[in-house]
Amino acid sequence: MTLIQSFTEGQEVTGFYLLKTAMVKQTNSTPPKDYLDLVLADASGEIPAKFWDASAADKETFFAPMLVKVRGVVQLYRERLQFKVNKIRPATDEDGHNITDFVRSAPVPPNDLVYTIKTAAYTIQDTEIQMIIDHCLNKIGDKLMHYPAAKGMHHAFYAGLAYHIVRMLELAEFICKQRPFLNRDLLVAGIILHDIAKTEELTAELGIVSEYSFTGKLLGHIPLAASWVTEAAMTIGADVNSEKIVLLQHMILSHHNLPEWGSSVLPQIPEALALHLIDQMDAKLQAAEDAISMMPSTDDWSAPVRALENKSFYRAKGNE
């Protein structure tokens, strides 16, 4: 099997890949003609693909996510590789492939990630805060085992949300030791809760977001998570207007920092500022890591990275 990361211009490829997205679009010709605009993926990366000769049946057959066998050629378009599909069919059981083998996932087993998150929650000294986290974790069930953290901006892979939380918790432990004036309970709780409602905001399968949910579109994960804190406080009999509950909600509502980024308020306590900075550091470093690690082996520069002001990143020698 030829990994997508190793594709080169002019290469003819036949193999099995994950169909990550599939959309029917029209050419600019007169009259316009329907074609399938696809993204093919494997554990090493992904590549845009075009199936120009799609039939009416093809448009009903191919949807994401599914495993497909394709035959085609790698082309260069606007200085980026894309794949021209000449032939495509759905994979069958007889082909002997498991779709999960083609899904990019967190580099740490999901069980270990969830265990780390729950262990961190149990180190919180404030019993009410710990119970609120327990309520929210129970609310999402096993979704933390496989949900991505976003559709495409950062940690957009299987168990990406849990991986994001764990990496943030690691940064928080260092910062709390360096800055002992910070309230560790608040910061740890804020990290665990800040993106937890993405499990309701996003509709995802195999770590791939297919769409935003109805609730996600109208409310978003930030207000949802803040409402879950109120719900949890009422469930455990805590005062929903107490300082600790308001501070927890403030952590969640301010973690994007600016209103144009989705925050209801600006960070106004040190722990909320720390949460925002830790979140930004992990998200942006992950976006840079993804851009470098998923580059074709022959390229020196990545594609523009949306999460990093659409800048391209150079792969320094020794980072191959």
Side-chain angles (χ1 to χ4, degrees):
M1 182 69 65
T2 305
L3 294 177
I4 288 174
Q5 190 180 43
S6 67
F7 280 8
T8 57
E9 183 185 2
Q11 183 179 13
E12 294 183 357
V13 175
T14 300
F16 291 89
Y17 298 96
L18 173 68
L19 186 57
K20 188 173 181 180
T21 67
M23 296 179 62
V24 177
K25 292 188 176 181
Q26 288 190 324
T27 63
N28 294 323
S29 61
T30 305
K33 180 182 176 183
D34 288 349
Y35 70 94
L36 286 179
D37 188 37
L38 314 171
V39 173
L40 300 176
D42 62 16
S44 75
E46 58 187 52
I47 188 170
K50 302 290 187 289
F51 185 33
W52 301 109
D53 299 322
S55 66
D58 290 329
K59 288 181 281 186
E60 299 295 328
T61 299
F62 298 103
F63 52 89
M66 69 183 300
L67 193 60
V68 295
K69 184 178 183 181
V70 297
R71 178 187 301 166
V73 60
V74 182
Q75 299 178 327
L76 193 65
Y77 178 70
R78 294 182 178 176
E79 300 184 358
R80 295 295 168 195
L81 295 180
Q82 72 171 24
F83 191 73
K84 179 185 176 184
V85 176
N86 294 325
K87 193 172 183 180
I88 183 171
R89 69 165 174 84
T92 65
D93 292 340
E94 289 71 26
D95 291 319
H97 292 286
N98 190 328
I99 193 170
T100 57
D101 296 333
F102 295 80
V103 175
R104 183 165 176 255
S105 61
V108 179
N111 279 327
D112 293 349
L113 293 171
V114 174
Y115 175 81
T116 299
I117 292 167
K118 290 183 176 180
T119 299
Y122 293 145
T123 66
I124 290 174
Q125 296 182 5
D126 188 291
T127 304
E128 285 188 343
I129 293 178
Q130 189 180 116
M131 292 172 68
I132 286 169
I133 293 174
D134 281 344
H135 176 90
C136 293
L137 289 175
N138 290 333
K139 186 178 182 73
I140 65 174
D142 65 352
K143 288 184 176 180
L144 207 54
M145 292 285 289
H146 61 87
Y147 248 68
K151 187 173 183 178
M153 293 291 280
H154 66 90
H155 299 84
F157 45 77
Y158 192 91
L161 177 56
Y163 184 64
H164 177 44
I165 293 171
V166 167
R167 289 293 171 254
M168 288 180 65
L169 288 170
E170 292 170 348
L171 290 169
E173 289 300 335
F174 169 78
I175 290 172
C176 284
K177 290 177 182 177
Q178 186 192 62
R179 308 279 179 173
F181 83 100
L182 292 171
N183 182 319
R184 181 184 176 278
D185 279 2
L186 264 184
L187 185 54
V188 169
I191 288 171
I192 295 173
L193 296 175
H194 80 291
D195 276 350
I196 198 166
K198 284 190 174 182
T199 54
E200 186 168 333
E201 178 185 46
L202 306 173
T203 301
E205 183 180 354
L206 295 172
I208 300 169
V209 177
S210 57
E211 62 180 349
Y212 284 78
S213 69
F214 172 75
T215 306
K217 289 176 181 177
L218 293 183
L219 297 180
H221 71 280
I222 294 176
L224 276 172
S227 72
W228 289 5
V229 170
T230 301
E231 174 189 294
M234 294 174 66
T235 300
I236 67 174
D239 179 3
V240 297
N241 296 311
S242 69
E243 180 178 278
K244 77 176 70 171
I245 300 302
V246 173
L247 291 179
L248 274 180
Q249 291 174 320
H250 177 75
M251 297 282 289
I252 295 166
L253 292 170
S254 66
H255 82 267
H256 278 187
N257 188 43
L258 298 174
E260 55 265 38
W261 294 350
S263 279
S264 303
V265 290
L266 300 177
Q268 291 177 268
I269 59 173
E271 293 76 14
L273 176 62
L275 171 60
H276 166 66
L277 294 174
I278 291 170
D279 186 32
Q280 284 286 293
M281 175 180 283
D282 186 58
K284 292 193 171 187
L285 284 176
Q286 188 65 50
E289 180 181 344
D290 290 346
I292 295 295
S293 64
M294 296 174 68
M295 285 168 54
S297 57
T298 55
D299 287 3
D300 293 325
W301 288 90
S302 75
V305 184
R306 182 186 170 200
L308 299 168
E309 293 74 46
N310 280 323
K311 294 193 296 286
S312 294
F313 277 74
Y314 178 71
R315 176 164 51 197
K317 301 300 182 285
N319 285 355
E320 293 88 348

